[in-house]
Amino acid sequence: MWTEKAAATAEAQESGCRNRSSISRQIPVVGVVTEDDEAQGVFKPVDLNHVIKLLEETNKDGLEEKQLKFVKKLVQCYQNGLPLRDLAQIFKILNLCAGKIKNQPRFVESAYDIIKLCGLPFLKKKVSDEITYAEDTANSIALLGDLMKIPSSELRIQICKCIVDFYHAEPPKKHIPGYQQASSSYKIQMAEVGGLAKTMVQAMTLLENQLVEKLWVLKVLQHLSTSEVNCSIMMKAQAASGICAHLNDPDPSGQLLFRSSEILWNLLEKSPKEEILQQLSNLECLLALKEVFKNLFMRGFSHYDRQLRNDILVITTIIAQNPEAPMIECGFAKDLILFATFNEVKSQNILVKGLKLSNSYEDFELKKLLFNIIVILCKDLPTIQLLIEGKVILALFTYVKKPEKQKTINWSAAQYEELQLHAIATLSSVAPLLIEEYMSCQGNAQVLAFLEWCESEDPFFSHGNSFHGTGGRGNKFAQMRYSLRLLRAMVYLEDETVNTDLCEKGTIQQMIGIFKNIISKTNEKEEAIVLEIQSDILLILSGLCEHHIQRKEIFGTEGVDIVLHVMKTDPRKLQSGLGYNILLFSTLDSIWCCILGCYPSEDYFLEKEGIFLLLDVLALNQKKFCNLILGIMVEFCDNPKTAAHVNAWRGKKDQTAASLLIKLWRKEEKELGVKRDKNGKIIDTKKPLFTSFQEEQKIIPLPANCPSVAVMDVSENIRAKIYAILGKLDFENLPGLSAEDFVTLCIIHRYLDFKIQATHKQRELANKSWENFLARTSNAKTLKKAKRFQEKAIEASRYHERPQNAIFHPTDIKGLNTTVPSGGVVTVESTPARLVGGPLADTDIALKKLPIRGGALQKVKAVKIEDVPKKSIPT
């Protein structure tokens, strides 16, 4: 490595020092020292190629001592860092030393010393060295993982320490002229490139019973897992399942659980979540998680233990989102439900006997996490029985009441409020699955009573700090919002027992009262949450009143008033993003469900100019509302008083309702790609209503329960509804129409004729098919012509290129004069033998019969003719 000139220079310098000490006075000599000379002073001369060649030699006396001596000299040379240009040779020397350990244990120390050097800074002479020697560096670092296979505890620990030092880089102990330290992240990047993470994961399998070494490897993996690249490598090496399965291994220090959970967190965050969940969703992993969580829940009292317990529960929650995870089979789901409810519902289970939660932050977070995992577990229907046995509904309803001082846990006001909101939100997911339990707990009565408190003037200062409390600071709007969500979820089950019970308890009147009261209490800060509350109230009323005239009568004029109040909202607010769009949809739905069909309510709606308000919204030309409004208009037109209101309406620039509807028709046809000329006239008379979508669409087979394309066309586009409305206005004496409008009106007037037109075409095709059939049965020439055409078509459809040595089996039966395709089984009534001389007497089949032993048809000399009764013959 070092030149003879450099060695001679060093020797001369040493000689000069000795001479100066022996002479009292010397003439000063000025010399120039280059950076290379200084560097040679730091890196003492060692010929690395000579060391490699020496280590490769075998079977020589005194060779081992000589080899060890040279390795020691090499280690001393590089005490200040490893130059990137020498790295490949140094690691080759390390690999040779490692290979000798099995037969020459003294080389353990040599390997140990070289590995220790890897924790020192990597040095570059040129800026480009990091790129030039990148491949050598990556391969060298990857070798560290391979060396974990050597059964030496001190060597393995030193390798781990070296890798950990990658993430805690320190500057060189001594500045080396001509060299710079490689960037702090260089080693980390090269570890990623070299795939070090994979070999370290594989090393875990070698350390089943070596706790100290295992903890060091986990520490390495903890550092490596901070990188997305390494996490991806670890995922492919099945790191998640391997680490999780050993979570419960004995470890007095507690490091194994802490580091393992940290690695699992990183894997879930920085690698494909689905793949990690697949690795963790097995019985072995979940049993390990279950035991760890139970131990921490029952015996963990320190701040650290509680944090770790919550981390494990979050990991479990993520795994529970996978439907394939055996949460029930391993018993974890049952334990989690018990832990979630034992404070509210007394249990004699030994797991929770004498166990109490404090109001500490960690226990508070635990309670919320347990509520959250119940919501996830209830998505798996087999869990329902466990929810029933665990009395989850009863436990959650303990929070659906006016806040009061708790006897078991002294939650702070803010904590209790957040748990209360979380419990009601959880009920919205769980209660619809457990209707009997909900009704046995008098669920409707409890929710309605709680809503009364929410509406009351009782002093209550809401903190509104949590996610569920958003928008509810200083009021009860958050509680009202989640209670209404719960009622909405129950109403939309369409369970008659639940809905009847609600109506008997005066829910319709109570909802209308809440809606009216909340209007007067609204301010700008609370606008979004109030809009959501109003939307839910209208949806609840729609669900209760739909298909029930008596309930629509209870809705009555007071209900119509709140609908009209929303319809009068400033249209500009629809673009605000606060929820006015949703509120308007809910309002239109309530018109459909709560007003239509109840004549007193319809008349009151018309008297209060409700049709004008509907047409005002329709004139906004927002497609999302058009279909629903037009549907409502069609139903309202059955009321004889409606036509006068429609004709009396005027929009901007004195636009009439008829003009608006015709304009919407043209816009719809333009979007659908219907062919019209510049004056709005029909271009394709054969397909006057055909859309571009229908022309491009291929024939797709659909199951019987799916609506056809024609049916979907009528239901999804608005043309049929516009036709119906104008039809109920008689298409005559429509005010405010232009010449173009009259052209379009003619097309609308003939809408159904153009739709029957397709039916006529089908009838014509059916008649033509029948005529052809009669011709074939009554005229032998026509039958033969049709037969030839059929045979030609069949032959053209066949695949003519046959593989070599293939056997061709003809499927045609000669002598048959039919042109109707035969099915798998044909039912025939045989002609008497006395008339035709036997079945199929004039065909080649008469000469054949099936042999008793099976096989191909064979010719026989004689055939016994018998009368054959009516039967089914497989073809």
Side-chain angles (χ1 to χ4, degrees):
M1 171 184 174
W2 305 100
T3 62
E4 294 181 1
K5 181 180 178 181
T9 302
E11 185 178 348
Q13 288 176 349
E14 290 177 4
S15 175
C17 289
R18 288 194 297 269
N19 291 336
R20 283 196 299 270
S21 63
S22 60
I23 301 173
S24 59
R25 185 179 180 183
Q26 294 286 343
I27 299 173
V29 177
V30 179
V32 179
V33 182
T34 64
E35 288 187 350
D36 286 342
D37 295 333
E38 288 191 48
Q40 289 176 1
V42 176
F43 296 120
K44 296 180 181 179
V46 176
D47 188 344
L48 295 178
N49 290 325
H50 176 69
V51 176
I52 292 170
K53 187 176 180 182
L54 184 65
L55 289 170
E56 288 175 344
E57 293 180 1
T58 55
N59 303 323
K60 284 187 179 181
D61 294 337
L63 181 61
E64 181 176 341
E65 289 293 339
K66 189 176 180 181
Q67 290 172 335
L68 292 171
K69 181 180 177 181
F70 269 86
V71 172
K72 191 173 182 179
K73 187 177 180 182
L74 177 145
V75 171
Q76 290 174 348
C77 175
Y78 293 101
Q79 287 299 313
N80 293 301
L82 297 179
L84 291 176
R85 63 182 183 183
D86 296 341
L87 212 56
Q89 292 171 302
I90 292 171
F91 270 84
K92 186 172 183 180
I93 292 169
L94 172 60
N95 197 26
L96 290 169
C97 292
K100 294 178 177 294
I101 290 175
K102 185 175 181 180
N103 299 320
Q104 298 170 277
R106 294 177 64 188
F107 276 95
V108 169
E109 184 179 353
S110 299
Y112 179 93
D113 291 338
I114 297 175
I115 292 171
K116 195 172 181 180
L117 293 177
C118 298
L120 298 174
F122 285 180
L123 305 173
K124 59 184 178 181
K125 196 172 182 63
K126 300 177 182 177
V127 176
S128 61
D129 280 0
E130 289 188 7
I131 299 173
T132 305
Y133 299 106
E135 185 177 354
D136 290 344
T137 306
N139 294 335
S140 300
I141 291 177
L143 180 62
L144 294 175
D146 294 329
L147 295 179
M148 290 295 292
K149 298 174 184 177
I150 299 173
S152 168
S153 178
E154 58 178 344
L155 207 59
R156 287 170 172 170
I157 292 172
Q158 184 55 48
I159 291 171
C160 294
K161 286 181 179 179
C162 173
I163 298 171
V164 170
D165 286 341
F166 290 179
Y167 295 83
H168 308 283
E170 295 181 359
K173 296 177 182 178
K174 184 177 180 180
H175 174 68
I176 305 170
Y179 284 89
Q180 293 179 343
Q181 183 177 357
S183 59
S184 58
S185 61
Y186 185 67
K187 288 183 179 180
I188 299 172
Q189 293 172 0
M190 293 301 101
E192 293 174 358
V193 174
L196 177 64
K198 180 180 179 180
T199 51
M200 295 308 294
V201 170
Q202 293 171 344
M204 286 289 294
T205 58
L206 306 172
L207 310 172
E208 293 292 335
N209 301 315
Q210 287 85 24
L211 179 60
V212 177
E213 299 163 34
K214 186 189 294 186
L215 292 178
W216 271 106
V217 173
L218 285 173
K219 187 174 182 179
V220 169
L221 292 174
Q222 184 183 354
H223 283 81
L224 291 173
S225 64
T226 57
S227 153
E228 291 185 5
V229 175
N230 285 334
C231 281
S232 179
I233 295 170
M234 292 167 67
M235 176 198 71
K236 294 176 182 177
Q238 303 292 313
S241 56
I243 291 170
C244 187
H246 293 88
L247 280 176
N248 207 31
D249 287 0
D251 173 29
S253 69
Q255 289 188 51
L256 186 145
L257 184 56
F258 163 69
R259 299 196 187 282
S260 298
S261 62
E262 186 74 17
I263 295 167
L264 292 177
W265 261 112
N266 290 338
L267 288 172
L268 286 167
E269 287 182 350
K270 294 181 171 63
S271 54
K273 187 176 178 182
E274 296 75 17
E275 179 62 32
I276 298 298
L277 287 181
Q278 202 63 37
Q279 290 185 27
L280 296 175
S281 298
N282 59 69
L283 205 58
E284 187 179 13
C285 289
L286 284 172
L287 284 172
L289 284 167
K290 172 189 168 184
E291 293 305 316
V292 167
F293 181 76
K294 280 168 58 177
N295 289 335
L296 290 170
F297 192 93
M298 297 165 63
R299 302 178 185 88
F301 299 103
S302 68
H303 174 76
Y304 167 78
D305 287 341
R306 289 172 176 169
Q307 281 187 328
L308 195 54
R309 171 199 64 191
N310 291 356
D311 288 346
I312 295 296
L313 183 55
V314 173
I315 292 171
T316 303
T317 303
I318 296 171
I319 297 172
Q321 294 173 5
N322 182 8
E324 298 178 3
M327 294 292 294
I328 299 174
E329 293 82 346
C330 69
F332 205 176
K334 185 174 182 180
D335 288 348
L336 289 170
I337 292 170
L338 173 66
F339 293 143
T341 60
F342 80 96
N343 271 317
E344 295 76 21
V345 180
K346 298 301 178 185
S347 174
Q348 298 301 318
N349 193 304
I350 192 171
L351 292 177
V352 294
K353 195 171 182 179
L355 193 61
K356 291 183 180 180
L357 294 179
S358 68
N359 62 355
S360 66
Y361 175 78
E362 290 76 22
D363 283 355
F364 172 62
E365 288 295 316
L366 170 71
K367 194 68 180 174
K368 293 193 295 181
L369 288 171
L370 288 169
F371 283 164
N372 186 53
I373 202 168
I374 285 176
V375 174
I376 293 170
L377 290 173
C378 75
K379 294 177 183 178
D380 187 13
L381 292 182
T383 313
I384 291 177
Q385 186 58 38
L386 297 179
L387 298 174
I388 295 171
E389 294 171 1
K391 300 180 180 178
V392 171
I393 296 292
L394 180 61
L396 293 172
F397 262 115
T398 59
Y399 292 91
V400 188
K401 58 186 178 182
K402 177 181 177 180
E404 57 185 23
K405 190 174 182 179
Q406 300 298 299
K407 297 178 180 178
T408 53
I409 305 175
N410 293 320
W411 298 115
S412 68
Q415 285 177 330
Y416 182 78
E417 179 194 359
E418 190 169 348
L419 289 177
Q420 182 184 60
L421 294 173
H422 208 141
I424 301 172
T426 304
L427 271 171
S428 301
S429 299
V430 178
L433 302 173
L434 306 172
I435 298 175
E436 291 183 11
E437 285 65 31
Y438 174 84
M439 295 301 292
S440 66
C441 292
Q442 295 293 313
N444 287 336
Q446 291 199 60
V447 176
L448 293 175
F450 187 66
L451 279 171
E452 283 184 16
W453 172 80
C454 293
E455 194 185 4
S456 69
E457 299 296 332
D458 288 357
F460 174 74
F461 185 77
S462 170
H463 291 74
N465 295 325
S466 66
F467 166 79
H468 294 94
T470 303
R473 188 171 183 83
N475 54 53
K476 306 169 190 172
F477 285 157
Q479 286 81 355
M480 186 180 289
R481 169 171 58 180
Y482 283 98
S483 300
L484 289 170
R485 281 189 187 180
L486 172 57
L487 276 185
R488 188 188 69 190
M490 298 308 298
V491 166
Y492 271 75
L493 291 173
E494 297 184 1
D495 185 277
E496 198 54 37
T497 304
V498 175
N499 289 357
T500 301
D501 183 60
L502 282 169
C503 292
E504 289 175 353
K505 289 180 168 56
T507 303
I508 295 176
Q509 300 93 321
Q510 187 175 349
M511 292 296 108
I512 294 172
I514 292 173
F515 195 102
K516 286 183 174 181
N517 290 337
I518 204 173
I519 292 172
S520 60
K521 298 178 182 180
T522 307
N523 58 52
E524 291 183 2
K525 293 181 179 179
E526 300 158 352
E527 193 172 9
I529 189 172
V530 168
L531 290 173
E532 184 181 341
I533 289 172
Q534 291 174 332
S535 298
D536 283 341
I537 288 174
L538 291 172
L539 289 172
I540 290 168
L541 290 169
S542 299
L544 291 174
C545 295
E546 190 175 16
H547 310 310
H548 292 84
I549 296 296
Q550 290 180 344
R551 297 176 188 174
K552 292 182 181 182
E553 291 174 351
I554 296 171
F555 182 82
T557 57
E558 289 189 44
V560 174
D561 284 337
I562 65 174
V563 168
L564 293 171
H565 173 81
V566 178
M567 296 292 293
K568 294 175 182 177
T569 302
D570 185 349
R572 289 174 295 182
K573 291 185 177 180
L574 294 174
Q575 310 299 329
S576 65
L578 292 172
Y580 280 99
N581 279 334
I582 298 173
L583 178 60
L584 184 54
F585 271 119
S586 303
T587 306
L588 294 173
D589 188 53
S590 65
I591 294 173
W592 187 281
C593 299
C594 303
I595 297 176
L596 286 171
C598 180
Y599 298 124
S601 296
E602 285 187 9
D603 291 345
Y604 185 76
F605 184 83
L606 292 171
E607 288 173 16
K608 294 294 183 179
E609 300 182 347
I611 288 294
F612 288 1
L613 295 173
L614 279 173
L615 288 169
D616 286 341
V617 178
L618 188 63
L620 296 175
N621 205 12
Q622 295 195 21
K623 191 173 180 64
K624 54 191 172 187
F625 298 124
C626 287
N627 215 330
L628 186 52
I629 293 173
L630 288 171
I632 293 170
M633 294 281 292
V634 170
E635 296 299 322
F636 258 113
C637 284
D638 288 335
N639 190 318
K641 301 176 183 179
T642 302
H645 287 263
V646 173
N647 288 326
W649 177 84
R650 292 294 181 273
K652 292 181 179 179
K653 298 181 180 179
D654 207 32
Q655 186 182 31
T656 63
S659 174
L660 172 63
L661 293 172
I662 293 170
K663 181 181 177 183
L664 289 173
W665 175 285
R666 284 199 293 266
K667 181 185 176 186
E668 181 76 3
E669 289 201 327
K670 185 177 180 180
E671 291 177 355
L672 293 173
V674 180
K675 295 178 180 178
R676 298 282 185 264
D677 67 8
K678 62 180 181 179
N679 297 317
K681 294 187 294 184
I682 296 170
I683 294 178
D684 188 349
T685 55
K686 293 183 179 179
K687 300 175 182 178
L689 299 178
F690 234 53
T691 67
S692 58
F693 170 75
Q694 288 173 312
E695 289 181 348
E696 294 170 1
Q697 189 181 40
K698 297 179 180 178
I699 297 175
I700 303 172
L702 296 171
N705 60 346
C706 287
S708 66
V709 176
V711 173
M712 292 301 294
D713 175 65
V714 173
S715 62
E716 288 183 355
N717 74 64
I718 62 176
R719 291 186 295 178
K721 296 180 178 68
I722 293 173
Y723 167 80
I725 296 170
L726 293 175
K728 290 181 181 181
L729 297 176
D730 295 330
F731 289 105
E732 296 179 0
N733 301 321
L734 300 176
L737 300 184
S738 64
E740 186 181 8
D741 290 340
F742 277 110
V743 172
T744 307
L745 184 63
C746 291
I747 295 173
I748 298 173
H749 195 188
R750 298 293 302 276
Y751 176 73
L752 275 186
D753 294 335
F754 294 146
K755 280 286 183 183
I756 291 166
Q757 183 174 332
T759 306
H760 286 315
K761 186 175 181 180
Q762 293 297 326
R763 286 178 182 172
E764 290 174 6
L765 291 173
N767 291 338
K768 188 174 182 181
S769 176
W770 176 248
E771 291 171 1
N772 290 336
F773 176 75
L774 290 177
R776 293 197 305 271
T777 56
S778 60
N779 190 318
K781 291 183 179 179
T782 304
L783 178 63
K784 290 178 181 178
K785 184 178 178 181
K787 181 64 177 177
R788 287 194 300 271
F789 177 79
Q790 185 187 56
E791 289 174 347
K792 188 176 180 181
I794 293 172
E795 187 62 29
S797 67
R798 283 176 175 157
Y799 186 70
H800 296 286
E801 296 182 8
R802 299 174 190 167
Q804 293 182 352
N805 303 323
I807 300 174
F808 176 71
H809 299 280
T811 57
D812 296 338
I813 301 175
K814 294 182 180 179
L816 292 181
N817 291 320
T818 63
T819 57
V820 180
S822 55
V825 176
V826 178
T827 303
V828 299
E829 186 173 347
S830 297
T831 307
R834 55 189 171 80
L835 296 179
V836 295
L840 305 176
D842 294 334
T843 67
D844 290 344
I845 295 180
L847 304 176
K848 303 176 183 179
K849 74 171 185 180
L850 287 173
I852 294 175
R853 295 183 181 178
L857 294 172
Q858 299 174 355
K859 293 245 181 180
V860 294
K861 294 181 180 179
V863 178
K864 183 180 180 181
I865 307 300
E866 295 181 355
D867 290 343
V868 183
K870 183 177 180 180
K871 61 182 180 179
S872 295
I873 304 174
T875 60

